[in-house]
């Protein structure tokens, strides 16, 4: 029998955690034949709630679930971790300045990056979900000097999936006909969902839809502001869809993108497409066996260039702020 993969989930007692853990344990993270052992990291006051979730996980008798450990200790949580999903973060509260938000999250992601550096397995792969996801990933990566920076990624797959769904709806086709979509930049309202390189049934999506007014006035803002629309409708932020996207992100990372297609991941830039090296920005990537490569040579028209530059400028200013705060 295969050795279980150690999967660490932070913020395990939260909303996303509650949607995520049951699907990890039933094989949706790594595949239907990969046993997993879960490490749940929570802050001390939330340990009891995490224990309740663990009781329910036991009660599902999932064949792939080989163990659950619940802890508020970083070393225990990341010891031997092969995959880490960093979900727990400090949300923005009313009246909070961006510096306050980044500083509060630095207090979480700096020590977590350090603990991953010191205790995780050599093959560790990290997905940051907690917001501001790109900059939290930047902080964690820069505090783990012995881990290759390529192992730290931020989630833009939810934005990607939202964009796929909107394009499919507009074109009146199933989501399976949409491919080659890209989210560029930050997981924030400045993100740029790129329809010019996307395809519907193999044909240029922008040409098939051919409606710049819809693209600018409807599609981009709907995707970029979807999180706020969910809060408005549900009274709570996206949880099941965020968990589903996190599973997609890791599953695609290990099991590969389809031939000819790609996905969107927030990754440490190597300077491609004019995104300054070192920033954690979303790119089109192909994946295979836990590695990824940025898709090169895509056409970036003037409209796309302006949008990408604006989102990247926001990332650069977040980075400048965390440098100023001494977090990286
Ligand atoms: P919840 O507030 O329901 O849960 C967060 C959990 O994290 C809580 O149980 C809290 O105790 C725990 N936590 C806080 N600090 C911690 C620490 N230092 N170590 C371990 N656990 C800690 O939030 P939820 O709705 O689950 O969302 C989690 C994060 O995902 C938020 O930051 C949210 O903004 C972010 N999101 C990111 C998305 C993305 O696409 N990248 C989309 C969905 C979501 O909004």
């Amino acid at each position: 029998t295969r050795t279980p993969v150690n999967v660490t989930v932070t913020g395990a007692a939260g909303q996303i955690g509650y949607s995520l853990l049951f699907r990890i344990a039933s094989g949706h993270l790594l595949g239907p034949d990969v046993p997993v052992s879960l490490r749940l990291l929570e802050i001390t006051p939330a340990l009891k709630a995490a224990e309740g979730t663990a009781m329910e996980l036991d009660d599902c008798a999932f064949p792939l679930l080989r163990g659950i450990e619940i802890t508020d200790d970083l070393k225990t949580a990341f010891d031997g971790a092969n995959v880490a999903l960093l979900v727990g973060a400090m949300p923005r509260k009313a009246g909070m300045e961006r510096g306050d938000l980044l500083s509060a999250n630095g207090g979480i992601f700096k020590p977590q990056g350090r603990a991953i550096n010191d205790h995780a397995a050599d093959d560790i792969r990290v997905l940051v979900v907690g917001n501001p996801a790109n900059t939290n990933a930047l902080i964690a990566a820069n505090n783990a000097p012995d881990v290759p920076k390529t192992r730290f990624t931020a989630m833009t797959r939810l934005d990607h999936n939202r964009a796929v769904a909107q394009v499919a709806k507009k074109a009146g086709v199933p989501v399976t006909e949409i491919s080659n979509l890209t989210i560029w930049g930050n997981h924030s309202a400045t993100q740029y969902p790129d329809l010019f390189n996307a395809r519907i049934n193999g044909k240029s999506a922008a040409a098939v839809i051919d409606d710049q007014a819809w693209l600018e006035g409807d599609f981009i803002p709907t995707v970029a502001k979807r999180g706020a629309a969910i809060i408005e409708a549900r009274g709570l932020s996206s949880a099941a869809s965020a968990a589903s996207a996190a599973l997609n992100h890791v599953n695609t990372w290990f099991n590969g993108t389809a031939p000819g297609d790609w996905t969107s991941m927030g990754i440490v830039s190597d300077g491609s497409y004019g995104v300054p090296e070192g920033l954690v920005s979303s790119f089109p990537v192909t994946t295979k066996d836990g590695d990824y490569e940025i898709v090169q040579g895509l056409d970036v028209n003037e409209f796309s260039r302006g949008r990408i530059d604006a989102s990247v400028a926001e990332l650069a200013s977040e980075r400048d702020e965390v440098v100023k705060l001494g977090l990286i």
Side-chain angles (χ1 to χ4, degrees):
T1 57
R2 250 186 102 156
T3 334
V5 174
N6 293 327
V7 180
T8 302
V9 179
T10 75
Q15 295 201 82
I16 294 176
Y18 195 75
S19 289
L20 186 59
L21 293 169
F22 296 86
R23 293 187 62 196
I24 295 175
S26 56
H28 291 95
L29 185 75
L30 299 166
D33 53 357
V34 185
V36 292
S37 182
L38 286 170
R39 315 283 173 80
L40 312 184
L41 179 73
E42 260 296 351
I43 52 172
T44 316
L47 285 176
K48 187 155 183 231
E51 276 158 21
T53 305
M55 286 162 71
E56 285 201 76
L57 283 162
D58 279 342
D59 296 348
C60 294
F62 287 120
L64 292 173
L65 183 56
R66 297 297 153 77
I68 312 174
E69 185 150 16
I70 303 158
T71 183
D72 57 2
D73 173 61
L74 288 172
K75 176 178 186 303
T76 311
F78 292 109
D79 195 28
N82 306 109
V83 178
L85 304 176
L86 309 186
V87 179
M90 181 70 76
R92 188 173 213 136
K93 297 192 184 106
M96 225 181 191
E97 297 295 329
R98 190 171 65 174
D100 302 332
L101 180 75
L102 293 172
S103 148
N105 280 291
I108 296 175
F109 289 87
K110 191 173 173 170
Q112 288 185 1
R114 191 75 233 174
I116 287 169
N117 187 75
D118 294 348
H119 307 296
D122 286 346
D123 65 356
I124 180 71
R125 294 203 166 39
V126 182
L127 167 61
V128 177
V129 174
N131 281 321
N134 300 55
T135 296
N136 288 340
L138 178 87
I139 295 169
N142 281 280
N143 284 281
D146 305 330
V147 180
K149 289 208 169 25
T150 51
R151 305 290 187 78
F152 287 85
T153 64
M155 188 164 96
T156 52
R157 186 62 175 266
L158 178 55
D159 309 299
H160 178 105
N161 289 346
R162 285 167 170 167
V164 166
Q166 292 301 319
V167 177
K169 199 180 268 187
K170 171 76 175 170
V173 300
V175 288
T176 46
E177 293 196 12
I178 313 301
S179 66
N180 306 87
L181 199 124
T182 309
I183 302 293
W184 298 90
N186 200 0
H187 166 68
S188 77
T190 66
Q191 65 173 269
Y192 175 54
D194 176 2
L195 218 55
F196 294 100
N197 288 296
R199 293 179 205 148
I200 300 173
N201 215 347
K203 297 191 213 53
S204 159
V208 171
I209 292 176
D210 193 23
D211 185 347
Q212 184 71 18
W214 175 79
L215 176 82
E216 281 187 56
D218 194 334
F219 173 66
I220 295 174
T222 298
V223 173
K225 296 179 190 159
R226 188 69 163 180
I230 302 279
I231 293 174
E232 170 70 25
R234 216 170 77 87
L236 289 166
S237 57
S238 335
S241 55
S244 196
L247 296 160
N248 291 156
H249 177 114
V250 175
N251 200 299
T252 303
W253 194 354
F254 282 97
N255 296 326
T257 39
D261 200 2
W262 61 71
T263 189
S264 305
M265 282 168 72
I267 57 170
V268 177
S269 176
D270 62 358
S272 293
Y273 294 101
V275 179
E277 201 178 332
L279 290 180
V280 176
S281 184
S282 188
F283 284 98
V285 295
T286 54
T287 58
K288 191 171 182 270
D289 299 329
D291 293 319
Y292 54 79
E293 268 177 47
I294 297 176
V295 178
Q296 297 295 342
L298 296 182
D299 183 45
V300 175
N301 63 24
E302 201 183 324
F303 177 79
S304 298
R305 189 72 260 168
R307 296 289 177 133
I308 295 170
D309 288 349
S311 195
V312 168
E314 182 183 53
L315 285 169
S317 77
E318 289 181 18
R319 182 210 38 210
D320 293 348
E321 190 92 29
V322 300
V323 168
K324 211 168 76 191
L325 291 164
L327 296 170
I328 65 172

